[in-house]
Amino acid sequence: MKHWFRLHLLSLARTLGALVRHPFSSALNLLVIGITAALPLALWLIISSLSSVASQIHVEPQISIFMRDTATAEDLAMLKTQLKKDPRIASSRFISKDDALKEMQISSGATNLLAGLSENPLPDAFVLSSKDSQASTLEALQKDLISRPGVEEVQLDSAWAHRLERLLALGQTLFEVIAVLLAAALALITGNAIRMQILTRKEEIEVARLIGATDAFIRRPFVYFAMVQGLLGGLVACAIVGGMLSHLNPAVSDLATAYGQKFTLLSPDLITIAIVCGLCILLTFIGAWLAVWRHLRQFT
């Protein structure tokens, strides 16, 4: 067991020495790994920030019905009765055009809103609350109500929230696709870098095989080199994303304040940093192990 630990420590020390002896090439490799990992990390943090805001929004399934100017009192009474008997509707409230005008005058503080107008331009309206918040149910109810006599327009007030949910779902799918593609790219980049190292040390590997070195002994320094680069590359990715978000957050916060909200983009925390570094180590390990395994088979 001591001999096994000693071999691993020697491989790790050799890896760190190689990084120090070639600082320029090592820095370039770390930047490539860091930028590759930073793209999905930044997208994931942005989607998570928006999702946390969307989850705090109370989406009430509310529908507004606006009547035509030509709608008669019979049309209003019939629709009011139908809405009360409809099992899909939790509650309904009728707002006459006169009441709507009074509410607008109170909220705006102006009492001469009809100045220059011969009549009240506001329509009679109904405000409904649906029992079901499913988008398909609300859309079906909306299509049903628009066909009623005297109805001019049916507005789904929570439609924007459902659009936001769908947009976030699309962003989540986009993140998964980009993450898979960049993960494969990171493994291929690491494999290609290790392949170049193997080719430059081909004679050394052949001599080691002749004197009885095992595949594990030959593979170990290359795998350690890739894993150390994966760890440092993950830290570089977190530093890139953290710096980018810290630069964007003041502008995002000012924009949210202009709309009366408080919102900032999430920055990488310790758990996120650990996950990113762990995934980078895993992907670079896979790329290095496959590259060494392939070339060892050729040497054999």
Side-chain angles (χ1 to χ4, degrees):
M1 183 62 70
K2 289 182 180 180
H3 179 67
W4 184 83
F5 278 114
R6 181 173 176 273
L7 291 177
H8 280 271
L9 289 176
L10 288 175
S11 298
L12 181 59
R14 189 174 182 180
T15 296
L16 296 177
L19 291 174
V20 174
R21 287 192 300 270
H22 305 90
F24 183 73
S25 60
S26 298
L28 289 180
N29 289 333
L30 294 181
L31 281 177
V32 170
I33 296 174
I35 294 174
T36 304
L39 293 177
L41 174 60
L43 181 59
W44 180 75
L45 288 173
I46 292 174
I47 294 175
S48 298
S49 301
L50 295 176
S51 298
S52 63
V53 174
S55 62
Q56 297 174 2
I57 299 176
H58 178 65
V59 181
E60 182 181 357
Q62 192 174 79
I63 298 176
S64 299
I65 303 176
F66 300 101
M67 306 299 294
R68 294 192 181 98
D69 293 337
T70 57
T72 63
E74 290 77 9
D75 293 333
L76 295 175
M78 182 175 62
L79 182 57
K80 186 181 298 185
T81 303
Q82 292 174 350
L83 294 177
K84 289 182 179 180
K85 295 180 179 180
D86 197 322
R88 299 170 296 179
I89 298 175
S91 63
S92 62
R93 181 167 62 97
F94 174 69
I95 304 176
S96 66
K97 59 174 65 178
D98 295 331
D99 292 337
L101 179 61
K102 292 178 182 178
E103 291 181 5
M104 182 176 294
Q105 289 175 339
I106 294 173
S107 61
S108 63
T111 58
N112 57 346
L113 291 178
L114 294 181
L117 298 177
S118 59
E119 59 181 6
N120 185 357
L122 299 177
D124 293 320
F126 290 89
V127 178
L128 316 177
S129 295
S130 175
K131 294 181 179 180
D132 194 345
S133 60
Q134 293 292 330
S136 58
T137 304
L138 293 175
E139 290 173 0
L141 180 58
Q142 183 183 21
K143 292 179 180 178
D144 181 26
L145 293 174
I146 195 65
S147 63
R148 305 292 176 88
V151 175
E152 174 71 22
E153 182 183 357
V154 178
Q155 180 179 340
L156 183 59
D157 297 335
S158 59
W160 64 272
H162 293 289
R163 295 190 188 103
L164 177 59
E165 291 177 358
R166 293 172 185 174
L167 183 61
L168 291 176
L170 175 62
Q172 182 67 29
T173 303
L174 180 63
F175 160 74
E176 293 172 358
V177 172
I178 292 177
V180 170
L181 292 177
L182 292 180
L186 182 56
L188 293 175
I189 290 171
T190 304
N192 185 66
I194 297 300
R195 184 179 67 85
M196 298 301 297
Q197 286 193 9
I198 293 174
L199 292 178
T200 58
R201 298 171 57 183
K202 181 177 179 180
E203 292 79 7
E204 178 184 346
I205 294 174
E206 290 178 345
V207 172
R209 294 298 294 270
L210 291 175
I211 62 176
T214 62
D215 290 347
F217 180 84
I218 297 173
R219 184 189 305 114
R220 193 175 295 122
F222 296 107
V223 171
Y224 268 117
F225 182 83
M227 293 174 66
V228 170
Q229 284 199 327
L231 173 62
L232 298 178
L235 295 175
V236 170
C238 294
I240 292 174
V241 174
M244 180 187 68
L245 294 181
S246 64
H247 180 69
L248 289 176
N249 263 331
V252 173
S253 179
D254 292 341
L255 179 62
T257 303
Y259 287 92
Q261 301 292 329
K262 292 183 179 180
F263 173 71
T264 55
L265 297 173
L266 298 175
S267 298
D269 54 12
L270 292 178
I271 297 178
T272 302
I273 294 174
I275 292 175
V276 171
C277 292
L279 290 176
C280 289
I281 292 173
L282 177 62
L283 292 171
T284 53
F285 168 80
I286 293 174
W289 196 94
L290 291 176
V292 177
W293 173 78
R294 178 174 176 271
H295 284 278
L296 285 179
R297 287 187 61 187
Q298 292 179 354
F299 290 149
T300 303

